[in-house]
Every structure is written in C-alpha cells, then in structure tokens.
C-alpha cells in the first residue's frame, strides 16, 4: 500500500492552464519513497471539477499543455455493484475498468487519506 493524499487546492492550477472560475480543484500528492512509481506519477497533480457521477462531483486531472498523457479521473461510485466497489476511485474514465486507486469512503468530497495503491492491494 502506497499512501497518497488528496487535498483542496489553495492556489489551483497554474497560469498556463485555463480553468473556469468557481470550479473546485484538488491536489493529489505523495511524500513516500514510492512517489516515483508509475501509478503514483499518473495520479499526482491538480484535478478540476468535470461533472457529476452518483450524486458526487467528478474531477479530471489537468495536464500541462503539450503533454501527451492519459486521462485521469477522480470519482465516486456508489453501492450498486456491491460494497467492494463503493467509494472514491482514480481511473482513466468514470466507471471504467482501468483503475489505479480506491478509497472506501462515501464522503461527499474526495477523502484526504485512506487510498489503496494498487486498488486491490
């Protein structure tokens, strides 16, 4: 298990990344030796509000311009597929099968701790 943290952004998104005013933004970071792991590198960064899913906001990772990168979403999935799938997720699309991390919390906003990387580890 590799610890990761999700926190509201104090100064969201740099000047090179235009974001609509009023959108919630979160920052994902890790302070462990494993921060060089590919999964952690994929998840670390700034996320901006990008819709809703299962009565919670969805957040999408903001990449610097001219960066070829995979889409990364932070989203909530409810209990409809069983209790093991309920909670907050990082994945390449909302509800997709390629996921990197999971937190069993059912909070209205992304939890700041309790993330499992890999999600099934």
């Amino acid at each position: 298990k590799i610890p990761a943290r999700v926190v509201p952004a104090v100064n969201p998104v740099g000047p090179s990344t235009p974001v609509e005013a009023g959108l919630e933004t979160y920052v994902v970071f890790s302070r462990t030796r494993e921060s060089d792991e590919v999964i952690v590198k994929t998840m670390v960064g700034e996320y901006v509000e990008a819709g809703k899913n299962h009565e919670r906001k969805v957040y999408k990772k903001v990449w610097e311009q001219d960066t070829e990168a995979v889409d990364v979403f932070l989203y909530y999935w409810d209990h409809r597929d069983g209790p093991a799938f309920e909670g907050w997720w990082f994945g390449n699309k909302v509800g997709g099968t390629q996921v990197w991390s999971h937190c069993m919390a059912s909070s209205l906003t992304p939890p700041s701790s309790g993330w499992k990387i890999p999600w099934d580890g």
Side-chain angles (χ1 to χ4, degrees):
K1 181 175 167 180
I2 301 170
R5 304 271 302 162
V6 178
V7 296
V10 176
N11 294 312
V13 189
S16 64
T17 312
V19 174
E20 292 180 41
L23 294 179
E24 284 185 24
T25 303
Y26 282 83
V27 174
V28 177
F29 66 94
S30 177
R31 291 187 177 152
T32 68
R33 293 181 311 221
E34 293 85 0
S35 61
D36 288 337
E37 295 274 337
V38 173
I39 293 172
V40 175
K41 282 184 174 182
T42 299
M43 293 171 38
V44 166
E46 295 185 29
Y47 289 73
V48 67
E49 185 180 330
K52 286 186 98 169
N53 186 63
H54 296 189
E55 303 302 316
R56 308 286 195 285
K57 291 180 179 178
V58 170
Y59 303 89
K60 184 177 181 183
K61 184 172 181 178
V62 178
W63 293 96
E64 301 220 3
Q65 292 178 352
D66 301 326
T67 301
E68 290 185 33
V70 64
D71 286 337
V72 183
F73 291 90
L74 169 58
Y75 64 93
Y76 177 79
W77 197 261
D78 67 16
H79 63 278
R80 70 185 66 194
D81 293 323
F85 297 101
E86 184 175 4
W88 286 89
W89 293 88
F90 282 93
N92 70 330
K93 63 182 180 179
V94 176
T97 57
Q98 183 178 355
V99 293
W100 301 290
S101 184
H102 178 235
C103 183
M104 300 273 308
S106 60
S107 55
L108 292 176
T109 58
S112 63
S113 60
W115 294 92
K116 288 180 9 181
I117 306 170
W119 74 272
D120 57 353

